[in-house]
Amino acid sequence: MDEIRQIEELKTGALRELVAIGSTKGLEAWRVGYLGKKSQLTGVLRSLGRLPLATRKAVGARANEVKAELEAGFKQKEQALLGAQLETLSGEEAVDVTLPGRALPEGRLHPVTQVLHEISDIFASMGFKVVEGPEVEWDYYNFEALNIPKEHPARDTMATLWLDYETESGDRPMLLRTHTSPMQIRFMEKVKPPLRIVVPGKVFRYEATDATHIPMFHQIEGLAVDKGISMADLKGTLYEFARRFFGPDRQVRFRCDYFPFVEPGVEMAIECAVCKGAGCRLCGGSGWIEILGAGMVHPKVLERVEIDPGIYSGFAFGMGIERIPMLRYGVDDIRLFYTSDLRFLRQF
Amino acid sequence: MKVPVSWLKEYVSIDLPLKKLAERLTMAGSEVKGIQEAGGSWKNIFVGQIVDIKPHPNADRLSLVTVDLATEQLTVVCGAPNLKLGDKVAFARVGAELIDGHSGQRVILKPARIRGVDSGGMVCSEKELAISDRHEDIMVLPPEAPVGARLTRSAILDLDITPNRPDLLSVIGIAREIAALTGQKPTIAEATYEEKGAAIEKKISVEIVDTDLCPRYCCSLINGIKIGDSPEWLKSRLSACGLRPINNIVDITNYVMLEYGQPLHAFDYDRIRGKRIIVRRASAAETIVSLEGAQRVLDGDMLVIADMERAIAIAGVMGGANSEVDQETSSILLESANFNPASIHYTSHRLRLASEAAMRFERGISPELPLPAIKRATQLILELAGGKVAQGIVDAYPGKKQPKAILLSQNRVRAVLGVDISINQVARVLTSLGCSWTPEMIDELEDFGLEEVSEEILVYPPYWRSDLNLDVDLIEEVARIIGYDRIPVAMLAHPLPQQDPEPSITLKQRVSQSLTGYGFQEVITYSLTSLEVLKRLWPESNSPEPMPLRVANPMTIDQEYLRTTLRANLLEAVANNRRHEEGGIRLFELGRVFLPRPGDLPDEPEVLCAVLSGSSLGKSWSAEGKPFDFFDAKGAVESLLSQLGVTADFEVGNDKGLRPGSQAIIVVAGDRLGVVGQFHPRVSQAFDISGPVYLFELNLTALLPHTLSHKGYQPIARYPAIVRDIAIIVDVGVTHRQVTKVIKGFSLVKQVTLFDVYSGKPVPTGRKSLAYRLTFQSPSHTLTDEEADRVQQQILDRLSTELGATLRG
Ligand SMILES: [Zn+2]
């Protein structure tokens, strides 16, 4: 039967071609050519009507078998090609992966905020609650209650910005807080021990602006009061902070220092990262970088807030914040933090 | 406090290397800021003796000086006025490193030819040797200096003395500290001299009127003194400590002040009228011309030293010109007194008159100190200025107090330091600091015959330690002498009651995290600003509303007022960044503003302000940015509020600083909590910004309560929704909110989304087209198309009757 032979030849040719096809485009052309409405095979099937019944059955059956075989071949090839395509995009379909991606706008926290969060988190994990206090304060909270009465020489070390507000007696009791310590008093007035707080915030000084001085900067204050707190706890807490914040390899030094609202008073320094204690310009030759002031809460401060110093004791500490990113990133001009320059701020 | 090591060695032996000593002092509370080696690296500098002085042949003011250096004699040119035959001097040979007297630079001495005469070396001034600033005169060495020897350096310790330790503002005080730290006893001898004059009571009387401000007043009287220059050793010690030599009497008072820490003052006895010293408060507006020549107006809270007619000194701060010691003076009344620290601080600060004396008095020095100090000064005056001293010292001491005793127990030491230190060791440390002590007997124990077991002592601090008042003061002494490194490390042991994080702080963190996620950069700006900058924000009004709080002593006029808004600083930040930023600028600040309240601290709400300027994207290959508009700002604030679980309404605003028609008030549950909009172009121009700037502002303190309520959970719908799009045409004045309000009135409407706003052809003028996608859904059954059709028709009818809407064909 010619028709059968014709179909067999068609099949052989089609499958041979199919093997050689290498692209989805070629495969589509093949499909149109062999399986489409205008294909030879379709033509054979269409012309079945003209054949005698006996032949028609045989040819029809064979044609349908071949069609199924070709369709199966097509499916298989299509899968193979798709698979290959997933592995390699050829020619114009490949992208230049070095082109920049579609950018999302980027924003960051201010470096001082970042450091404040970092420090607050460390103390929070040691049970200290983060609280805040007013930036405009009364003389009473900023000085008087902290054992710094009027005409005390310690006031001279914290040059104060006073607000233009006078009482009837001619006093000028309102000021921009010079440290975060007033919150010690405010908190202990409300909450009785045991207590542990840290107080981040802005503080202000009457200072001419230069590369190391600005009239506004940040501090974080800490306070823990309970029965049986000693200087060993102060040391342990601050050592742990230093270990987590500066890393376990940095040496820590405690020396005696004076702040009117603590006794004994402490200054904590860490080993200079530049010279490793040998002495260099950054640390002024001492090998140490002062980080914070601290001490045992002065009994007079506790008495002031009606906490019995015979029963309770505690420690307090306070540290300047700007120094820390300055040391960490080598920033040599403190003013950069407050110029809002994106070229600076985007680096953190 | 600068102190030459050689001076310290008169009272204590120093065997430690200086660096070690400096470290001990620093650790114990007195930071050694530096060890200055007077003379730096002296090389090629020798002790010489002047053996010949001839005039320079070609210059009147110069001399040719021949100096004996033991091995040879050298002749050099010198211009100093104080050359004296036989004086020992510091001679620099060629190659020595010196400070140039004029430029102050370090130079290497070269052979020179001065006015035609060769000069191979130099007789040095103190400045050239980096000892002090004195340059006119050459430095004269003590007569015992060995000719030909290399000049040895004398080190100076530069100490930072904390305000609680006025005793350390003295050489003896520092010597005592070193002694305690190195386990020695300092050697301090009492000054003695012969009293050859008449009894002092016949020559002067002292009356202390205001004993509250003057606990003690001592004076001695010396007749027949000769005013002149001090000897070199004394001058160089003063110079090393940073004081300028004046004349022998003034120099001795300064010297003893440095030595003992007690300020002294010498009056010209002959100028004291009525021969009576009266220590009293100044009368209101009383005036005095102080030593440096300025007329000072005093007030009734200031203390003066007066004679029968007038004030002759501002007590403890500065002497008066009317009783000053000068070249003619032959009799002096030497004052050594004690004054109230607060009063001295007040006077010195009010008069802006800082002095070495005031600095010591205001820190509270001991009233026991005047006597040993006046004896020492009197002795030195007799030695160096001659004269006869009257018999006795006037000593008015109305403020004498019983020595204080502080009870200290081993338990207290353990409680404060966290370490056990035996009471014996405690007592040993305190003794080394000059304290005396007695064991405290506990009566009850004695009754049981247990008198020896007391672990308590009664401690009497030495008179010079006026800072030791409480047991903790003594405990600090123990800790700093044994070393803070002896204190163990412990962790806070006691459990704490449950502590919830402060919600206001949590809110700030959530807000700043969201905003940085949206691409906003956080900035922090100064809280102090100027009235002028604030005025720029509201171009139409004359003064900012509310009127900001003013700083009474501003550093500059740019920092005179407390900000009432964050807007100005953010506009300045945009303007500054515009100069170098091409793309979009998104900034925010989260900070306090200060709103005055009568008679109270200001209200300090925590405010968020964010600004947008430029376009949403910089130049990019892949996407096109478009200029920011109102809806970028509004979108950010909507996202933020949605993150915080807050639903807000937006009402048309009329903030004068913002552009009319492009601003809205943010309303949450009826509270107006902020604004969103565009800065008025005149405002942005006032800050040198040409394009539009958008902002949103939120009062976080007021927002906080709205963020705390927990919303109920909405179940996910179980029945399928039907989605329909409708486009309506309304008058331009009809707002989106009006339309959605109508639509949301139908309970089957689950969601309304505006997806197109259009005006222009074919929409008639004065009208606009709004296209919405409506989602219908029932919580109880599957909606049919017919139901949806019916509701949609009802909506259109309602929109038509209420808002004049027509369906767009
Ligand atoms: Zn260093």
Side-chain angles (χ1 to χ4, degrees):
Chain A
M1 279 186 285
D2 282 354
E3 287 79 4
I4 297 283
R5 202 182 59 244
Q6 204 182 334
I7 290 167
E8 294 304 328
E9 278 169 13
L10 188 76
K11 175 189 152 191
T12 318
L15 288 176
R16 197 183 316 118
E17 270 182 50
L18 186 63
V19 172
I21 286 170
S23 76
T24 45
K25 265 187 190 166
L27 183 65
E28 180 60 12
W30 183 89
R31 190 190 64 78
V32 173
Y34 289 102
L35 293 164
K37 284 177 186 161
K38 288 174 184 166
S39 67
Q40 280 186 41
L41 196 60
T42 313
V44 171
L45 287 168
R46 282 216 181 103
S47 63
L48 280 178
R50 284 184 275 118
L51 294 178
L53 188 66
T55 323
R56 191 195 299 176
K57 267 200 166 163
V59 173
R62 189 61 196 142
N64 272 323
E65 278 169 26
V66 169
K67 191 182 177 199
E69 278 175 56
L70 290 185
E71 274 171 350
F74 170 80
K75 279 264 156 58
Q76 203 179 353
K77 187 74 189 181
E78 192 182 39
Q79 285 303 317
L81 280 180
L82 276 175
Q85 201 175 20
L86 288 177
E87 298 301 323
T88 54
L89 281 171
S90 62
E92 71 269 28
E93 287 165 319
V95 296
D96 175 358
V97 295
T98 67
L99 285 176
R102 242 160 241 125
L104 292 171
E106 240 189 282
R108 289 157 195 259
L109 292 179
H110 192 281
V112 166
T113 309
Q114 292 180 29
V115 170
L116 278 173
H117 284 181
E118 217 179 309
I119 296 173
S120 302
D121 287 351
I122 291 175
F123 284 107
S125 77
M126 294 193 256
F128 288 76
K129 179 186 170 100
V130 185
V131 295
E132 290 177 329
E135 291 168 21
V136 176
E137 262 297 2
W138 296 116
D139 185 309
Y140 176 79
Y141 289 102
N142 197 77
F143 291 126
E144 200 83 31
L146 288 165
N147 210 14
I148 314 173
K150 288 207 169 47
E151 311 299 344
H152 192 288
R155 288 192 178 211
D156 304 342
T157 61
M158 289 188 278
T160 308
L161 286 162
W162 297 93
L163 288 170
D164 188 8
Y165 168 86
E166 274 187 23
T167 60
E168 277 169 19
S169 58
D171 283 343
R172 196 173 264 162
M174 206 189 278
L175 49 80
L176 280 158
R177 66 174 174 192
T178 57
H179 49 182
T180 40
S181 313
M183 200 47 191
Q184 288 188 28
I185 304 297
R186 284 187 178 275
F187 196 79
M188 286 191 287
E189 276 181 349
K190 289 211 190 86
V191 180
K192 296 304 163 197
L195 56 90
R196 282 178 216 171
I197 53 166
V198 283
V199 190
K202 290 181 180 135
V203 300
F204 301 83
R205 299 280 170 91
Y206 178 83
E207 291 268 21
T209 306
D210 64 27
T212 51
H213 297 91
I214 37 174
M216 180 192 94
F217 52 96
H218 291 76
Q219 280 188 348
I220 191 161
E221 188 84 8
L223 174 73
V225 181
D226 199 350
K227 285 179 189 160
I229 290 186
S230 76
M231 236 169 127
D233 300 301
L234 164 65
K235 240 176 133 168
T237 304
L238 293 180
Y239 268 39
E240 177 61 9
F241 160 71
R243 190 187 65 78
R244 289 209 224 166
F245 191 82
F246 297 104
D249 302 330
R250 297 285 282 280
Q251 293 286 317
V252 177
R253 178 182 89 173
F254 267 55
R255 59 171 282 262
C256 177
D257 202 350
Y258 169 72
F259 308 98
F261 41 101
V262 291
E263 187 78 18
V266 172
E267 176 216 88
M268 185 175 94
I270 53 156
E271 185 188 39
C272 175
V274 173
C275 63
K276 301 270 178 280
C280 69
R281 266 188 58 184
L282 180 74
C283 55
S286 72
W288 296 97
I289 306 267
E290 293 165 23
I291 290 298
L292 56 81
M296 300 304 293
V297 180
H298 200 288
K300 285 189 189 165
V301 171
L302 291 176
E303 276 164 12
R304 182 77 74 157
V305 290
E306 288 167 2
I307 294 174
D308 185 348
I311 299 173
Y312 292 101
S313 58
F315 63 78
F317 58 88
M319 75 181 111
I321 297 301
E322 280 77 357
R323 268 177 90 70
I324 289 166
M326 286 180 86
L327 291 167
R328 195 183 265 186
Y329 304 111
V331 177
D332 56 3
D333 188 337
I334 194 170
R335 290 169 291 196
L336 281 168
F337 290 110
Y338 302 112
T339 49
S340 304
D341 192 324
L342 286 166
R343 294 169 297 180
F344 175 75
L345 296 174
R346 271 197 290 249
Q347 297 181 40
F348 301 99
Chain B
M1 175 83 191
K2 284 185 178 177
V3 48
V5 173
S6 56
W7 198 351
L8 288 170
K9 284 183 174 170
E10 290 184 8
Y11 307 104
V12 64
S13 78
I14 295 176
D15 305 321
L16 283 177
L18 284 187
K19 255 196 106 165
K20 262 264 161 316
L21 177 71
E23 198 191 308
R24 293 296 311 272
L25 284 164
T26 299
M27 294 301 280
S30 301
E31 191 187 357
V32 177
K33 288 181 290 183
I35 306 170
Q36 294 165 10
E37 303 276 4
S41 54
W42 284 353
K43 257 184 261 161
N44 278 345
I45 296 172
F46 298 89
V47 177
Q49 185 165 28
I50 300 178
V51 291
D52 190 24
I53 305 170
K54 281 205 195 88
H56 190 289
N58 308 323
D60 291 347
R61 297 215 178 150
L62 300 178
S63 315
L64 298 182
V65 188
T66 305
V67 178
D68 180 19
L69 295 164
T71 51
E72 59 180 325
Q73 296 197 340
L74 290 173
T75 302
V76 295
V77 178
C78 183
N82 67 328
L83 291 168
K84 227 170 81 203
L85 213 58
D87 269 359
K88 303 271 179 75
V89 295
F91 187 86
R93 289 173 181 268
V94 167
E97 200 181 81
L98 297 170
I99 303 297
D100 184 283
H102 301 284
S103 70
Q105 299 295 311
R106 217 160 256 283
V107 290
I108 304 287
L109 187 64
K110 294 194 188 87
R113 202 175 158 77
I114 301 167
R115 298 275 187 114
V117 177
D118 283 327
S119 189
M122 186 190 263
V123 181
C124 302
S125 70
E126 288 188 359
K127 183 168 181 185
E128 282 155 344
L129 295 174
I131 292 173
S132 78
D133 269 349
R134 291 166 70 200
H135 183 48
E136 280 303 295
D137 290 352
I138 54 157
M139 182 169 81
V140 180
L141 303 175
E144 64 273 17
V147 170
R150 264 177 200 282
L151 210 60
T152 48
R153 300 180 286 191
S154 124
I156 295 174
L157 295 181
D158 188 359
L159 292 128
D160 215 351
I161 303 300
T162 54
N164 59 326
R165 294 295 304 273
D167 64 303
L168 293 183
L169 293 170
S170 70
V171 179
I172 288 180
I174 296 168
R176 283 194 183 113
E177 180 83 354
I178 293 172
L181 286 170
T182 55
Q184 307 175 55
K185 264 191 143 45
T187 48
I188 300 153
E190 198 188 338
T192 54
Y193 46 84
E194 233 183 301
E195 297 172 342
K196 292 181 180 162
I200 193 165
E201 289 79 15
K202 297 197 173 121
K203 296 284 187 180
I204 193 87
S205 65
V206 171
E207 180 194 359
I208 303 175
V209 176
D210 291 303
T211 53
D212 57 329
L213 301 188
C214 178
R216 190 175 196 181
Y217 195 95
C218 300
C219 55
S220 68
L221 176 64
I222 306 119
N223 292 307
I225 53 113
K226 255 184 86 124
I227 301 287
D229 271 1
S230 302
E232 284 303 322
W233 64 264
L234 199 158
K235 281 199 218 171
S236 67
R237 278 189 173 171
L238 290 184
S239 302
C241 296
L243 294 185
R244 195 166 48 90
I246 295 168
N247 62 44
N248 49 6
I249 299 299
V250 175
D251 291 355
I252 287 167
T253 60
N254 282 333
Y255 184 85
V256 175
M257 174 180 72
L258 292 171
E259 195 172 39
Y260 279 73
Q262 168 68 45
L264 300 147
H265 183 66
F267 295 100
D268 185 330
Y269 174 73
D270 296 322
R271 297 167 79 177
I272 299 173
R273 298 182 185 166
K275 305 303 171 213
R276 186 172 176 79
I277 291 287
I278 302 161
V279 187
R280 59 164 170 84
R281 283 182 163 85
S283 51
E286 183 169 0
T287 61
I288 181 171
V289 176
S290 56
L291 272 180
E292 14 69 87
Q295 164 125 343
R296 305 283 176 176
V297 183
L298 310 176
D299 70 40
D301 289 329
M302 298 174 180
L303 192 71
V304 295
I305 310 300
D307 61 16
M308 292 297 280
E309 294 171 22
R310 70 235 159 115
I312 54 173
I314 307 167
V317 178
M318 198 171 273
N322 56 14
S323 56
E324 185 181 358
V325 171
D326 62 20
Q327 294 303 317
E328 318 293 294
T329 303
S330 66
S331 296
I332 56 160
L333 184 79
L334 189 60
E335 165 198 290
S336 182
N338 187 266
F339 301 112
N340 175 290
S343 161
I344 299 293
H345 186 268
Y346 170 84
T347 306
S348 147
H349 280 246
R350 274 297 156 99
L351 298 177
R352 291 173 197 277
L353 194 54
S355 66
E356 290 278 332
M359 190 254 286
R360 285 172 173 80
F361 280 126
E362 68 189 20
R363 288 158 194 236
I365 44 185
S366 165
E368 290 298 316
L369 195 53
L371 206 55
I374 199 170
K375 286 183 181 165
R376 168 67 167 153
T378 306
Q379 175 205 35
L380 274 175
I381 288 171
L382 292 171
E383 222 168 84
L384 302 175
K388 273 199 302 194
V389 62
Q391 273 179 43
I393 287 171
V394 175
D395 185 359
Y397 197 176
K400 190 167 174 69
K401 289 203 182 95
Q402 285 304 309
K404 58 197 164 193
I406 307 167
L407 183 67
L408 185 63
S409 70
Q410 192 175 342
N411 283 341
R412 267 301 270 171
V413 175
R414 186 192 311 113
V416 175
L417 301 182
V419 62
D420 246 327
I421 300 172
S422 74
I423 202 73
N424 284 338
Q425 198 183 347
V426 168
R428 214 164 30 241
V429 169
L430 293 173
T431 307
S432 78
L433 288 161
C435 296
S436 52
W437 56 275
T438 56
E440 170 70 352
M441 292 303 165
I442 301 169
D443 295 342
E444 291 79 6
L445 290 178
E446 225 171 340
D447 293 345
F448 289 97
L450 294 169
E451 58 195 44
E452 290 301 322
V453 300
S454 169
E455 287 185 338
E456 289 182 314
I457 52 174
L458 261 185
V459 180
Y460 300 87
Y463 72 80
W464 57 87
R465 291 300 302 274
S466 42
D467 61 311
L468 302 180
N469 298 299
L470 301 175
D471 56 3
V472 281
D473 298 331
L474 298 176
I475 293 168
E476 179 180 83
E477 294 304 302
V478 173
R480 69 184 191 87
I481 298 298
I482 66 168
Y484 278 12
D485 47 356
R486 290 270 304 276
I487 294 167
V489 172
M491 285 306 277
L492 289 168
H494 291 261
L496 275 177
Q498 174 67 32
Q499 300 204 92
D500 291 326
E502 198 68 23
S504 60
I505 292 170
T506 311
L507 175 63
K508 286 203 290 185
Q509 289 188 357
R510 287 172 72 193
V511 166
S512 51
Q513 263 151 23
S514 288
L515 286 172
T516 51
Y518 304 156
F520 287 81
Q521 168 68 47
E522 188 193 17
V523 298
I524 299 176
T525 65
Y526 290 130
S527 305
L528 291 161
T529 185
S530 75
L531 211 51
E532 185 275 324
V533 168
L534 288 174
K535 276 183 186 169
R536 275 191 250 161
L537 290 172
W538 290 280
E540 287 178 19
S541 55
N542 290 325
S543 63
E545 192 57 47
M547 190 59 194
L549 272 170
R550 200 182 83 84
V551 172
N553 58 333
M555 196 72 220
T556 67
I557 54 159
D558 297 342
Q559 296 168 359
E560 193 180 353
Y561 287 89
L562 280 179
R563 64 184 180 188
T564 51
T565 168
L566 307 184
R567 290 184 192 181
N569 292 348
L570 283 164
L571 280 170
E572 281 182 335
V574 168
N576 291 337
N577 280 298
R578 236 335 126 221
R579 298 193 189 109
H580 48 80
E581 291 295 318
E582 276 203 358
I585 296 177
R586 298 172 177 88
L587 306 174
F588 79 97
E589 179 166 13
L590 229 163
R592 309 267 180 88
V593 300
F594 303 86
L595 309 175
R597 286 189 294 201
D600 201 353
L601 295 179
D603 190 20
E604 292 183 23
E606 199 78 57
V607 170
L608 162 71
C609 186
V611 292
L612 301 95
S613 147
S615 61
S616 57
L617 261 183
K619 233 182 169 45
S620 165
W621 68 279
S622 59
E624 220 173 308
K626 66 180 192 49
F628 285 129
D629 64 24
F630 176 85
F631 298 100
D632 289 298
K634 191 179 173 197
V637 82
E638 282 173 328
S639 293
L640 175 66
L641 290 170
S642 152
Q643 285 269 310
L644 300 173
V646 171
T647 322
D649 274 334
F650 293 82
E651 289 170 5
V652 174
N654 66 341
D655 186 311
K656 293 281 183 285
L658 305 184
R659 185 174 182 176
S662 188
Q663 53 167 303
I665 300 165
I666 304 167
V667 184
V668 176
D671 292 341
R672 299 178 154 212
L673 300 183
V675 294
V676 53
Q678 182 190 341
F679 276 106
H680 198 293
R682 268 193 295 180
V683 172
S684 28
Q685 275 158 25
F687 285 85
D688 287 329
I689 306 166
S690 50
V693 183
Y694 298 90
L695 87 157
F696 57 91
E697 217 174 36
L698 271 175
N699 180 333
L700 293 188
T701 306
L703 177 67
L704 179 65
H706 299 284
T707 63
L708 300 179
S709 58
H710 294 282
K711 292 225 174 62
Y713 144 78
Q714 295 263 331
I716 296 166
R718 286 164 58 198
Y719 300 97
I722 293 178
V723 173
R724 295 284 166 81
D725 290 347
I726 59 166
I728 55 168
I729 292 177
V730 289
D731 284 347
V732 285
V734 173
T735 65
H736 162 71
R737 188 143 78 102
Q738 288 173 292
V739 175
T740 49
K741 201 175 166 207
V742 170
I743 298 173
K744 283 181 177 165
F746 292 84
S747 61
L748 285 182
V749 177
K750 185 88 180 169
Q751 203 181 344
V752 194
T753 311
L754 176 71
F755 67 87
D756 189 44
V757 181
Y758 177 77
S759 54
K761 276 187 176 150
V763 177
T765 334
R767 308 266 286 171
K768 65 181 173 187
S769 156
L770 300 171
Y772 292 92
R773 167 156 293 183
L774 310 182
T775 307
F776 299 102
Q777 202 167 29
S778 161
S780 58
H781 64 285
T782 302
L783 280 185
T784 61
D785 279 335
E786 291 70 33
E787 281 177 284
D789 287 343
R790 201 162 55 240
V791 179
Q792 183 176 333
Q793 193 51 53
Q794 284 167 357
I795 288 171
L796 289 171
D797 291 345
R798 185 81 67 80
L799 288 173
S800 163
T801 51
E802 288 187 13
L803 303 173
T806 55
L807 193 62
R808 190 174 174 192

